[in-house]
Amino acid sequence: MAISGLRLLLFLLLRSFTSLPVQAAARGGSNSSGTDEKYGSFLRSLLEDMPRITEELTHGYMSNLELEIAARSIGSRCPNISRLYSIGKSVNGFALLVIEISDKPGQKEAEPAFKFIGNVHGDEPVGREVLINLANWLCDNYLKDPLATNIVENMHLHILPTMNPDGFALRRRGNANNVDLNRDFPDQFFPINDEINYRQPETRAIMKWVKQEHFTASASLHGGALVANYPWDGSRDQSKQYYGSPDDKTFRYMASVYSQSHYNMSLSKEFKGGITNGAFWYPIYGGMQDWNYIHGGCFELTLEISDAKWPKAAELPVIWEHNRMSMLNLAASLVKTGVHGRIYASDTGHPIPGLLMIKGIDSEVSLFRQH
Ligand SMILES: *[C@@H]1O[C@H](CO)[C@@H](O)[C@H](O)[C@H]1NC(C)=O
Ligand SMILES: *[C@@H]1O[C@H](CO)[C@@H](O)[C@H](O)[C@H]1NC(C)=O
Ligand SMILES: *[C@@H]1O[C@H](CO)[C@@H](O)[C@H](O)[C@H]1NC(C)=O
């Protein structure tokens, strides 16, 4: 009896240990935006427990240079529906390159804009690969596939395959200064990151970009779990609880579009329907998602798209297939739902800035930079 009791205890302990790295691996289990030393010692040992990224494991993944070449080749293959631009540089000087896909790239139109960001964490490289696939697929299928054509013609899609090229090159989560970029944004509940000049160059590049472009919605791609995560990521009192934003219904809808279009995300045993509120899963502070919603009026999801943070490259084509319809349907949902349009001044007939409020929803979306 005693032995089986011990066994049960050991089993439970093992289970709780094996379920934790998923959290630590994905959005991260700590509010720290600093170096590894700032993680609790418990968490640090979990991080060290993770499989090392061996040379063999990196084989088949694009290097930063190869990624840039791939992005440029999309530009030359589909010049009339794409544009390549940089939003800044990483600590070590890699350009943060964005591929814009639209029939009028670079022009401001009364159409929704969506952004995808990959590789926020250097050791979660699946996003950068599938985003290059997505751009290539749209380039190849415009005027052949109705969904591709719809996206190209009715919205502007901005794709940043890697936000953290230095972390990728170093095979680690943080950037070259070893800061977790998904803890580096100003936070609504704690003033930890309020000093803008102390933000990392990658973080500042995103903040400037979001203020410049008027994104309707976005998603960042992570690895280490299989779930579509939506705001809020943090709760006011740091407790683990469902903490919904004013637009909770819309966010749940968007997350469900992703999970239901995915090969098997919605079948998750851990997350009902394959979606979760961030704070309900575990609260984080300084994340990119909440900042986008509050400061950019941009509805951002955090997508965990593969159980393994760094799977063998041979698995990438399957992961891309499993996520392809999700990515397309999520982007296209902006065209198929919601209210679209411009507000014009009655006297001059010119578009004017304004605020959009919906009765019953305690948030407002500012309509700025309309030309
Ligand atoms: C972050 O966590 C530390 C303990 O690990 C705690 O003392 C601190 O108050 C937390 N800060 C925020 C902003 O949650
Ligand atoms: C882009 O070029 C293709 C042919 O290469 C053409 O069929 C298509 O109409 C062009 N699209 C736009 C938006 O100009
Ligand atoms: C989804 O499919 C992948 C690949 O076949 C598998 O590894 C994973 O366990 C599946 N997840 C769920 C929730 O069914």
Side-chain angles (χ1 to χ4, degrees):
M1 270 321 273
I3 290 175
S4 69
L6 185 65
R7 271 207 184 147
L8 182 67
L9 184 67
L10 266 176
F11 174 72
L12 287 173
L13 272 174
L14 274 173
R15 268 184 57 95
S16 54
F17 268 81
T18 48
S19 66
L20 265 168
V22 171
Q23 298 194 347
R27 288 151 70 236
S30 161
N31 67 11
S32 165
S33 69
T35 59
D36 280 348
E37 289 77 55
K38 284 197 200 154
Y39 288 105
S41 56
F42 178 59
L43 188 62
R44 189 165 73 234
S45 68
L46 286 176
L47 288 170
E48 281 163 0
D49 268 357
M50 279 171 204
R52 292 194 130 208
I53 300 154
T54 58
E55 215 30 58
E56 196 199 337
L57 216 46
T58 65
H59 192 76
Y61 280 85
M62 284 177 279
S63 67
N64 284 326
L65 185 61
E66 286 162 344
L67 186 85
E68 180 170 341
I69 292 168
R72 290 197 189 284
S73 86
I74 293 161
S76 52
R77 277 198 313 116
C78 291
N80 63 357
I81 58 157
S82 73
R83 172 176 77 111
L84 200 67
Y85 66 99
S86 166
I87 56 163
K89 281 188 171 164
S90 68
V91 174
N92 287 342
F94 276 108
L96 301 173
L97 285 180
V98 177
I99 308 159
E100 179 186 352
I101 310 252
S102 161
D103 59 346
K104 295 195 183 70
Q107 294 181 35
K108 292 273 173 264
E109 296 186 273
E111 290 181 358
F114 188 99
K115 71 171 152 50
F116 275 115
I117 299 182
N119 200 202
V120 178
H121 292 135
D123 59 351
E124 295 166 19
V126 172
R128 50 192 269 145
E129 296 277 342
V130 298
L131 286 178
I132 290 291
N133 287 346
L134 176 68
N136 269 313
W137 189 89
L138 287 167
C139 169
D140 292 338
N141 288 285
Y142 172 54
L143 298 179
K144 294 187 194 129
D145 178 281
L147 197 49
T149 309
N150 193 358
I151 288 172
V152 171
E153 291 183 347
N154 298 311
M155 61 186 294
H156 288 248
L157 188 63
H158 299 255
I159 299 172
L160 174 66
T162 175
M163 176 178 167
N164 188 1
D166 298 347
F168 173 78
L170 293 163
R171 317 290 185 221
R172 72 169 184 217
R173 180 181 181 87
N175 71 351
N177 294 326
N178 212 7
V179 171
D180 183 335
L181 298 175
N182 202 32
R183 301 294 180 280
D184 196 42
F185 286 81
D187 192 89
Q188 64 174 325
F189 297 127
F190 302 102
I192 36 174
N193 293 334
D194 279 1
E195 178 52 70
I196 297 304
N197 296 325
Y198 291 167
R199 312 287 34 94
Q200 295 299 307
E202 296 87 352
T203 311
R204 277 202 303 260
I206 300 286
M207 291 170 69
K208 203 173 119 218
W209 187 30
V210 168
K211 294 280 182 195
Q212 254 164 27
E213 295 290 332
H214 188 188
F215 294 112
T216 307
S218 61
S220 73
L221 305 182
H222 291 249
L226 197 64
V227 66
N229 176 100
Y230 56 89
W232 301 119
D233 260 347
S235 62
R236 188 180 293 280
D237 62 2
Q238 298 192 43
S239 70
K240 186 173 155 332
Q241 58 166 305
Y242 194 108
Y243 212 67
S245 72
D247 287 292
D248 198 50
K249 256 191 182 163
T250 305
F251 276 118
R252 272 188 282 140
Y253 169 76
M254 287 171 60
S256 297
V257 165
Y258 200 89
S259 79
Q260 300 291 337
S261 309
H262 187 276
Y263 169 69
N264 65 358
M265 189 180 276
S266 66
L267 305 177
S268 170
K269 291 194 181 76
E270 191 181 356
F271 304 100
K272 191 163 181 273
I275 69 173
T276 190
N277 170 260
F280 180 73
W281 188 10
Y282 58 95
I284 67 161
Y285 299 91
M288 180 162 74
Q289 172 185 272
D290 291 1
W291 188 88
N292 263 270
Y293 176 58
I294 298 166
H295 298 276
C298 172
F299 287 55
E300 179 154 295
L301 301 178
T302 307
L303 303 169
E304 304 283 353
I305 62 166
S306 64
D307 285 322
K309 286 206 302 174
W310 198 307
K312 287 200 184 96
E315 292 172 33
L316 289 171
V318 170
I319 296 176
W320 153 241
E321 259 326 300
H322 288 179
N323 285 278
R324 185 168 58 90
M325 284 313 292
S326 303
M327 298 169 93
L328 295 169
N329 282 341
L330 178 62
S333 73
L334 296 191
V335 178
K336 295 177 177 171
T337 63
V339 185
H340 307 257
R342 279 179 166 177
I343 302 174
Y344 295 97
S346 60
D347 47 354
T348 64
H350 293 309
I352 50 167
L355 273 183
L356 184 71
M357 279 176 277
I358 294 169
K359 208 174 162 184
I361 298 180
D362 185 20
S363 80
E364 46 192 44
V365 176
S366 74
L367 311 168
F368 51 97
R369 283 183 55 82
Q370 298 291 315
H371 300 287

